[in-house]
Amino acid sequence: DVKVTQSSRYLVKRTGEKVFLECVQDMDHENMFWYRQDPGLGLRLIYFSYDVKMKEKGDIPEGYSVSREKKERFSLILESASTNQTSMYLCASSRRWGGGSANEKLFFGSGTQLSVL
Amino acid sequence: GESVGLHLPTLSVQEGDNSIINCAYSNSASDYFIWYKQESGKGPQFIIDIRSNMDKRQGQRVTVLLNKTVKHLSLQIAATQPGDSAVYFCAENRRENAGNMLTFGGGTRLMVKP
């Protein structure tokens, strides 16, 4: 089975701190994603990457950046954390889009609950 | 703007009954839809998907129905069990750039009463 591992289950940070959220997948997937999940809003895409060193903005990239130096690792960076970034952050991966349903299935990590005080 | 949304935020059903979770979408260009299940403390897990050239797809105890005319998607769970208690998300796939971009609905919480 695909395993997507997020380094921390819970994080508490202070306003203005630089925050790193790490994600590793073990299935050689090309695509990796960062979502944030807020009650009633579902999952909103922050950034995604379809290859090493490539990144694309999602729907809500403001206040975030990402890094993909290795295929298996995708990091989300909050340059200066703010209280409105308190949320559950979900990392996901998938095979390269090829038109088949199996290639489009996202595999999620268990999430990191970030609290910014 | 275009969005995917759910009609009911919470659904409570009796164990053994069938459950139906509904989802409305507005992006007529979306051609692929997915249902995810998220249990407490876990990330969403894939349940079933359907392409726009189909109107029904069945899995193990689950069926997804797609009505493109009214832009409506539903997830039917047969003989609902306590283990089905979770938040269910529908998502539509819009193809942009070289990857997948899923737009998720707000989620429906399914509560199964013993």
Side-chain angles (χ1 to χ4, degrees):
Chain A
D1 283 348
V2 175
K3 191 168 184 181
V4 179
T5 303
Q6 294 183 231
S7 55
S8 302
R9 185 72 182 95
Y10 298 97
L11 273 180
V12 180
K13 297 292 182 180
R14 295 201 177 276
T15 301
E17 279 192 77
K18 189 169 186 176
V19 182
F20 292 86
L21 302 183
E22 305 288 347
C23 175
V24 176
Q25 50 94 4
D26 65 358
M27 282 300 290
D28 202 36
H29 283 173
E30 289 83 5
N31 300 331
M32 295 190 75
F33 307 80
W34 275 106
Y35 288 87
R36 65 176 281 175
Q37 180 177 18
D38 300 288
L41 297 179
L43 281 69
R44 292 179 291 168
L45 182 64
I46 304 172
Y47 267 96
F48 70 99
S49 169
Y50 53 88
D51 205 348
V52 175
K53 296 191 185 296
M54 304 299 289
K55 61 183 179 182
E56 294 285 342
K57 293 181 180 179
D59 299 318
I60 51 165
E62 295 78 19
Y64 303 94
S65 62
V66 290
S67 173
R68 185 129 182 242
E69 296 297 317
K70 294 184 178 181
K71 190 175 185 180
E72 68 271 19
R73 186 179 297 271
F74 193 36
S75 302
L76 180 69
I77 304 158
L78 287 66
E79 295 290 342
S80 178
S82 64
T83 55
N84 63 12
Q85 292 179 309
T86 291
S87 186
M88 171 67 79
Y89 290 88
L90 289 163
C91 175
S93 71
S94 71
R95 293 193 193 101
R96 187 178 300 282
W97 171 64
S101 61
N103 290 348
E104 292 156 337
K105 186 189 303 184
L106 286 178
F107 294 87
F108 284 88
S110 295
T112 296
Q113 179 63 52
L114 173 67
S115 297
V116 182
L117 306 178
Chain B
E2 298 188 62
S3 64
V4 175
L6 295 176
H7 295 301
L8 297 173
T10 303
L11 177 65
S12 183
V13 300
Q14 201 71 37
E15 181 178 357
D17 288 351
N18 296 336
S19 302
I20 300 176
I21 301 172
N22 296 305
C23 177
Y25 68 95
S26 57
N27 187 346
S28 57
S30 295
D31 62 357
Y32 178 62
F33 304 88
I34 310 171
W35 281 99
Y36 282 88
K37 172 186 180 183
Q38 186 177 25
E39 296 176 89
S40 181
K42 298 182 180 180
Q45 289 184 298
F46 173 91
I47 303 173
I48 192 166
D49 58 0
I50 189 168
R51 296 207 165 275
S52 60
N53 61 355
M54 303 170 68
D55 53 19
K56 181 180 180 178
R57 192 168 188 212
Q58 288 185 290
Q60 188 176 13
R61 279 202 309 119
V62 294
T63 301
V64 56
L65 299 177
L66 176 63
N67 185 331
K68 294 181 287 295
T69 302
V70 295
K71 297 189 183 71
H72 186 266
L73 192 69
S74 69
L75 177 70
Q76 299 180 359
I77 304 173
T80 312
Q81 301 170 1
D84 295 326
S85 293
V87 177
Y88 290 81
F89 294 97
C90 67
E92 60 179 318
N93 189 42
R94 63 182 199 270
R95 302 188 184 285
E96 295 188 24
N97 302 317
N100 305 323
M101 291 187 70
L102 285 178
T103 299
F104 285 81
T108 292
R109 181 175 299 280
L110 177 65
M111 299 173 62
V112 182
K113 296 179 288 186

